Amino acid sequence: MEARPEDVAAPVEQSVVDAAIYRDGRRVDTPPTVAATAERLRQEPGAMAWIGLFRPSEAQLLPVADEFGLHDVAVEDAIVAHQRPKLERYGETLFVVLRAATYLDDAEEVEFGEIHLFVGPNFVITVRHSRTPDLGAVRHRMENDPELLARGPEAVLYAILDSVVDGYAPVVAGLQKDIDEIETEVFGGDPKVSRRTYELSGEVIEFQRATRPLLGMLERLAAGFEKYGTDKELQRYLRDVADHATTVAERVLGFRQMLSDILTVNATLVNQQQNAEMRALAEAGFEQNEEIKRLTEASFDQNEEVKRVSAWAAILFAPTLIGTAYGMNFKNMPELDWEFGYVFALGLMILTSVTLWLIFKARGWL
């Protein structure tokens, strides 16, 4: 989230959600201002201050940084936000960035919240840039467990880490549910499954960016247990958080591999379907070609038959024509009184028929 404009000179108290002084795990004072909180802390050796800020501008956060001696680089990160999870030490102050997550099932999206923590020897300052997670619930839990809260600022850090990591469980469950649905859709042939898989892959990658750095952060935190004298019981609690974070990171890594495999399987199934459709079209085209070939052959045979019938009709028509001519019985026809007229007529019929037969035979009509 971008810092608010500098010309909005609102007092820091407008960004304070809650500020309290604790001694032995119990709230002993709720000062009205950040300056009063810092002053009361200086007057109460062994006490701890916990200040919660919500979306402070630079002008609002700088006075807090001056009161508690926060490092400029860490303050700049807390103002600008959009940081990856990390852990840095600046002298006696620990600066921690966490990304909480909430799964929106209807939209199939992971909504992220960002928390910045300044953990000093006797104070905790939290800077939230989103409405989730609800740190009020964490404060309420700690105030109901004075024994844990009495262990100091690192106990508050543990409680917030534990809340953030526990909040990942519903996200993991939601992603797993959607992946199971996608697997069913892939084998059901749903054409929209590829887009859904790509979009869910993007959410998983973003979730991995929020969870994977936690492992390194918790390892670095554990490496400083002895050096910074972390309470033994808190060490066990923090190791438990690290175990849960490792489980989440492994599940998310598995989700990425599953979605990659789903995309591969879907591409294979799509190729198989396309090949089957092309094969069906080819077979249909082959059958169509065979039908055309059969019709062509039938047409050719029919034409050949027509040729033969026409040829024989022409051969038979020639004698009929000659016979018809000689049957007209006109008085002045010279062949009627000719001694060889009959033989000549028969010969002419035979000659004409044979000539036509030879012509049609040569042309392949017979």
Side-chain angles (χ1 to χ4, degrees):
M1 176 180 209
E2 298 298 333
R4 287 183 287 185
E6 285 302 309
D7 56 356
V8 182
V12 63
E13 280 67 37
Q14 289 191 7
S15 67
V16 175
V17 178
D18 197 357
I21 300 292
Y22 298 92
R23 176 183 287 280
D24 299 324
R26 300 184 185 279
R27 186 187 289 240
V28 296
D29 194 5
T30 306
T33 66
V34 171
T37 303
E39 180 62 28
R40 179 65 191 275
L41 187 62
R42 287 189 287 268
Q43 296 172 358
E44 291 279 346
M48 179 189 75
W50 183 355
I51 301 173
L53 304 176
F54 180 66
R55 293 180 177 173
S57 66
E58 181 177 356
Q60 290 173 321
L61 189 56
L62 288 179
V64 180
D66 292 338
E67 290 286 354
F68 291 91
L70 306 181
H71 197 279
D72 293 344
V73 174
V75 172
E76 182 180 352
D77 288 345
I79 293 172
V80 176
H82 295 303
Q83 304 292 319
R84 295 191 67 183
K86 65 179 180 178
L87 180 149
E88 300 288 346
R89 286 192 180 272
Y90 298 96
E92 294 184 329
T93 302
L94 192 66
F95 177 63
V96 180
V97 178
L98 300 173
R99 295 192 72 192
T102 305
Y103 192 69
L104 308 178
D105 189 58
D106 292 339
E108 293 187 2
E109 293 180 354
V110 182
E111 183 179 76
F112 294 97
E114 194 167 333
I115 311 170
H116 299 250
L117 294 91
F118 297 90
V119 183
N122 61 349
F123 66 86
V124 176
I125 300 172
T126 61
V127 179
R128 277 192 302 134
H129 290 280
S130 60
R131 297 194 176 276
T132 56
D134 180 12
L135 294 185
V138 178
R139 189 187 290 264
H140 181 71
R141 169 196 169 188
M142 294 296 286
E143 290 182 348
N144 287 335
D145 189 355
E147 183 179 351
L148 179 58
L149 186 55
R151 299 180 187 275
E154 286 188 328
V156 178
L157 172 60
Y158 152 72
I160 295 175
L161 277 168
D162 187 52
S163 175
V164 169
V165 173
D166 285 348
Y168 291 154
V171 179
V172 170
L175 291 172
Q176 181 66 68
K177 176 174 174 279
D178 289 331
I179 290 173
D180 292 341
E181 292 176 355
I182 285 175
E183 287 180 334
T184 302
E185 291 173 0
V186 165
F187 293 101
D190 190 333
K192 298 180 181 178
V193 70
S194 294
R195 179 174 180 177
R196 185 182 181 188
T197 304
Y198 276 115
E199 291 175 348
L200 193 61
S201 295
E203 298 300 319
V204 169
I205 291 171
E206 191 65 22
F207 187 38
Q208 188 177 40
R209 290 173 181 165
T211 57
R212 186 170 58 184
L214 269 178
L215 305 183
M217 290 170 50
L218 291 166
E219 286 178 3
R220 291 183 59 193
L221 196 60
F225 283 165
E226 298 301 326
K227 180 178 179 180
Y228 296 99
T230 303
D231 182 88
K232 295 294 183 182
E233 190 68 17
L234 280 180
Q235 291 184 29
R236 285 190 282 271
Y237 290 159
L238 289 167
R239 288 192 181 100
D240 183 63
V241 172
D243 290 341
H244 291 171
T246 300
T247 300
V248 170
E250 290 174 349
R251 291 290 301 278
V252 176
L253 181 61
F255 289 161
R256 286 196 65 177
Q257 184 61 49
M258 290 171 67
L259 289 169
S260 176
D261 293 342
I262 286 173
L263 286 173
T264 301
V265 170
N266 185 59
T268 301
L269 293 175
V270 169
N271 287 336
Q272 289 178 348
Q273 182 179 1
Q274 290 176 344
N275 291 338
E277 291 175 354
M278 291 178 65
R279 186 165 52 250
L281 289 173
E283 290 175 355
F286 176 77
E287 293 175 356
Q288 186 177 16
N289 289 338
E290 288 296 312
E291 181 67 16
I292 292 173
K293 182 179 178 181
R294 186 185 65 78
L295 293 174
T296 301
E297 291 176 350
S299 177
F300 178 79
D301 293 341
Q302 186 176 17
N303 289 339
E304 291 298 312
E305 188 66 27
V306 170
K307 288 179 181 179
R308 284 192 290 270
V309 171
S310 299
W312 283 112
I315 293 171
L316 294 176
F317 176 72
T320 303
L321 179 62
I322 296 172
T324 301
Y326 279 94
M328 288 187 290
N329 298 320
F330 289 111
K331 180 177 180 180
N332 294 322
M333 290 183 66
E335 291 84 357
L336 293 178
D337 297 326
W338 187 29
E339 181 179 356
F340 301 102
Y342 174 71
V343 176
F344 175 76
L346 290 177
L348 183 59
M349 292 179 186
I350 294 172
L351 178 61
T352 303
S353 297
V354 171
T355 301
L356 290 174
W357 184 88
L358 291 173
I359 291 172
F360 292 138
K361 187 70 174 178
R363 293 184 178 182
W365 286 33
L366 294 174

